[in-house]
Amino acid sequence: MSSPTAAAAPAKPAKRVKRNRLSGGFFRFVLTRFLLIIPTVFILVTVVFFVMRATGDPISTALGGHLAPDELQRRIHAAGYDRPIIVQYIDYLGGLLHGDLGTTMTDNQPVISILTRYGAATLELAILALIIALLVGIPLGRLAAHHRDHASDAGIRIFAILCYATPVFFLGLLLKLVFAVWMNVLPSSGRASLSSEMQFTRLVSPTGLYIVDALQLGDMSVLADVLRHAVLPALALGLLTAGVFIRLVRTNVIATYNSGYVEAARSRGVGEGRLLGKHAWKPALIPIITVMGMQIALMLAGAVLTETTFEWKGLGFMLSTYLKARDFVAVQGIVILIAIIVAVVNFIVDVIAAIIDPRVRY
């Protein structure tokens, strides 16, 4: 028999199982969003292909008027552009599956080599511009929300309007005029000086990211030269996005700052700084992160004008060059790569938003 003491002992409460935040629903959400990249890219590839063919075959578009009619027809036939459009489309999709994006009309280079050679420059510019946008946009947006309807808030809002309303090429020219011509403290074009470019030829495996390559060299003078060349284009592109971030952060922080749970925390004596930093900031992150993905896409579009303005030889610079030459094979390859980058970035943004707020998954 069991003792009366043991029988009278209260039962221990069941141990509370802590729910794993990254549950099966989260991984289903990630898998679904990842699989959506495939139809998105497929649709974009299809649209770009048929839009590029709307003006005729690429060879006639790029070289028409520069070659004799017989030579032009010979090249069109050799490239297969006289076949039915649907046959060309199927062959193009087959080439994409094997990493073949075609060959440029104007300089006879594989498009994939253009992307690998100049893609690193655009990536470096986009990263630097995004850093500037975040460093400027988020603190100023929070400051404007904290001092709502005060003079500092009005000044920050005017600054934000000027940032995103000013065309990026005009801002770039203005920055060049002030810092390169009048003050003569920063270079006006290029990614590095000629001496630094020569130093990079010593590298066995250069990345194409000049900042990384300068660190590989271990030469601080080369790194300083690369950074000086990057300041103006990164500012021109970054301030454009920073203006959007300022308005977005301010609006969302004010909305959460005046919500019921923040008022409840305020009534318990929680300080204003803690209310802003902890209670109001995190819920405001979700729409900010979501829009951030779209702004990265717009930033890549802005890179075309920025790189052209500063002769920053990246994909944007090459895209404008090939557009002038009417080399639609090269244009098609660059646009498809940008579309893939945008799709992947939006996937990453969706995953980050789901980690911050599980409600996004449902």
Side-chain angles (χ1 to χ4, degrees):
M1 286 181 66
S2 59
S3 64
T5 308
K12 291 183 178 180
K15 190 175 182 181
R16 191 174 180 180
V17 179
K18 187 177 180 181
R19 185 182 176 185
N20 184 9
R21 191 175 183 183
L22 301 181
S23 60
F26 171 78
F27 291 107
R28 284 194 298 272
F29 171 84
V30 172
L31 180 61
T32 302
R33 288 294 187 272
F34 180 76
L35 292 177
L36 283 174
I37 294 177
I38 298 173
T40 301
V41 172
F42 174 75
I43 292 171
L44 288 170
V45 166
T46 302
V47 170
V48 170
F49 178 87
F50 284 103
V51 168
M52 291 291 101
R53 295 300 190 279
T55 57
D57 67 272
I59 293 179
S60 297
T61 303
L63 302 177
H66 300 282
L67 295 175
D70 292 344
E71 177 64 17
L72 189 64
Q73 289 301 319
R74 187 189 68 79
R75 292 198 184 189
I76 291 172
H77 179 73
Y81 291 130
D82 54 353
R83 296 175 298 167
I85 189 69
I86 191 65
V87 176
Q88 297 181 44
Y89 174 64
I90 293 171
D91 285 349
Y92 184 73
L93 290 181
L96 283 182
L97 293 176
H98 294 88
D100 181 13
L101 293 171
T103 304
T104 62
M105 298 290 102
T106 50
D107 47 12
N108 200 32
Q109 296 186 66
V111 175
I112 194 69
S113 69
I114 300 294
L115 301 182
T116 54
R117 188 184 313 164
Y118 297 102
T122 298
L123 175 63
E124 187 171 55
L125 177 60
I127 291 173
L128 293 173
L130 182 60
I131 290 172
I132 289 175
L134 293 173
L135 290 178
V136 174
I138 291 179
L140 288 182
R142 291 181 62 172
L143 183 63
H146 187 58
H147 299 284
R148 180 185 181 185
D149 297 330
H150 288 76
S152 56
D153 176 31
I156 292 172
R157 279 187 288 166
I158 292 172
F159 174 73
I161 292 171
L162 290 175
C163 284
Y164 69 72
T166 304
V168 65
F169 69 89
F170 178 78
L171 180 58
L173 292 173
L174 187 62
L175 290 173
K176 287 174 68 172
L177 180 64
V178 174
F179 293 100
V181 178
W182 291 349
M183 300 177 65
N184 195 25
V185 293
L186 291 171
S188 62
S189 62
R191 297 182 63 198
S193 62
L194 181 60
S195 59
S196 297
E197 296 272 5
M198 295 298 294
Q199 292 288 332
F200 291 140
T201 60
R202 295 166 39 200
L203 291 172
V204 177
S205 54
T207 63
L209 302 169
Y210 276 12
I211 294 177
V212 176
D213 291 343
L215 292 174
Q216 284 192 66
L217 285 171
D219 191 333
M220 292 300 103
S221 63
V222 174
L223 178 61
D225 178 60
V226 169
L227 291 175
R228 289 180 68 250
H229 279 79
V231 169
L232 294 184
L235 269 178
L237 189 55
L239 288 178
L240 173 70
T241 309
V244 178
F245 284 174
I246 290 171
R247 299 288 301 226
L248 187 66
V249 169
R250 178 186 179 274
T251 301
N252 285 281
V253 170
I254 287 175
T256 56
Y257 201 59
N258 295 326
S259 59
Y261 63 89
V262 174
E263 290 294 338
R266 184 181 287 113
S267 66
R268 293 196 302 269
V270 178
E272 292 298 317
R274 184 175 176 82
L275 284 175
L276 177 64
K278 183 178 180 181
H279 297 277
W281 173 239
K282 188 175 178 180
L285 275 177
I286 303 301
I288 293 170
I289 291 174
T290 303
V291 174
M292 191 180 296
M294 293 185 288
Q295 288 303 314
I296 292 173
L298 293 174
M299 187 178 289
L300 289 173
V304 176
L305 293 174
T306 306
E307 290 180 4
T308 304
T309 302
F310 290 96
E311 296 180 31
W312 182 281
K313 293 189 177 180
L315 289 180
F317 181 85
M318 297 307 299
L319 180 60
S320 65
T321 302
Y322 285 123
L323 276 171
K324 293 174 185 175
R326 300 177 66 82
D327 192 334
F328 288 165
V329 175
V331 171
Q332 184 173 275
I334 295 173
V335 170
I336 286 173
L337 177 64
I338 292 175
I340 293 173
I341 293 172
V342 171
V344 172
V345 166
N346 278 281
F347 163 73
I348 295 172
V349 167
D350 286 343
V351 172
I352 294 174
I355 292 174
I356 294 174
D357 188 352
R359 293 174 299 177
V360 174
R361 309 171 203 169
Y362 306 107

